[in-house]
Amino acid sequence: MYKFIKEAHSGWAYLTLLALVIAVVYFLLKLVSKKGLGPGDKKFALAALITTHIQFLLGLILLFVSPQVKQAFSDFSATTSDENGLRLLALEHPVAMLIAVVFITIAYSKIKKAIASGNGITTSSFILLLLGFLAVLSRVPWSTWLG
């Protein structure tokens, strides 16, 4: 089960990053052009929201079944010294992803309200989406994922 969840989490990450890049670029263009949002614009924010939440759920499952995370929690000194990147996998990555999910969820809610009211995207909703994306990028274990 561990191998399947790990592969799913790694594979789904590509889709999540793609959805986030598309949403950030799309809403940046909307913000710069000062155009209003229509019902069709919701799909970009929704794709980012759904892929991010699925990725986070896969990560939560992985957090409980990963032998590396179990090792990090059994030997707390390994987590604090960041030996072998255990602190990144067991602490920094999950916390950053939780923060990213919160930012992206709030951004989606604000974008949905803007669409319902017929307004354009607000700077604050774009910044929240961007912060969520940057939080994801900041704590992706690139060496483990791409290596």
Side-chain angles (χ1 to χ4, degrees), residues 6 19 24-25 35 37-38 41-42 44 87 116 121 141 145:
K6 183 179 178 189
V24 166
V25 169
K35 290 186 179 177
L37 296 176
D41 297 326
K42 183 178 171 184
F44 294 102
R87 185 177 66 210
I121 186 168
W145 189 39

Side-chain angles (χ1 to χ4, degrees), residues 12-94:
W12 193 261
Y14 290 104
L15 189 58
T16 302
L17 286 174
L18 178 64
L20 286 171
V21 165
I22 290 170
V24 166
V25 169
Y26 182 80
F27 288 113
L28 175 63
L29 294 174
K30 283 288 192 172
L31 183 66
V32 170
S33 69
K34 297 186 186 325
K35 290 186 179 177
L37 296 176
D41 297 326
K42 183 178 171 184
K43 64 186 168 211
F44 294 102
L46 187 60
L49 178 81
I50 290 172
T51 57
T52 304
H53 279 124
I54 290 172
Q55 180 69 356
F56 186 71
L57 287 174
L58 289 170
L60 276 179
I61 295 167
L62 193 58
L63 192 64
F64 290 104
V65 299
S66 170
Q68 294 168 319
V69 173
K70 287 179 185 175
Q71 175 192 354
F73 286 130
S74 67
D75 182 14
F76 189 71
S77 64
T79 308
T80 57
S81 68
D82 198 24
E83 236 173 70
N84 303 322
L86 290 178
R87 185 177 66 210
L88 174 65
L89 290 176
L91 182 65
E92 293 173 5
H93 179 71

Side-chain angles (χ1 to χ4, degrees), residues 97-109:
M97 296 309 132
L98 175 62
I99 291 168
V101 166
V102 169
F103 283 154
I104 292 165
T105 303
I106 295 170
Y108 171 76
S109 177

Side-chain angles (χ1 to χ4, degrees), residues 122-145:
T122 62
T123 305
S124 64
S125 56
F126 174 74
I127 288 173
L128 285 167
L129 183 64
L130 182 63
L131 286 174
F133 178 58
L134 293 175
V136 168
L137 289 180
S138 74
R139 292 291 113 203
V140 169
W142 295 106
S143 60
T144 305
W145 189 39

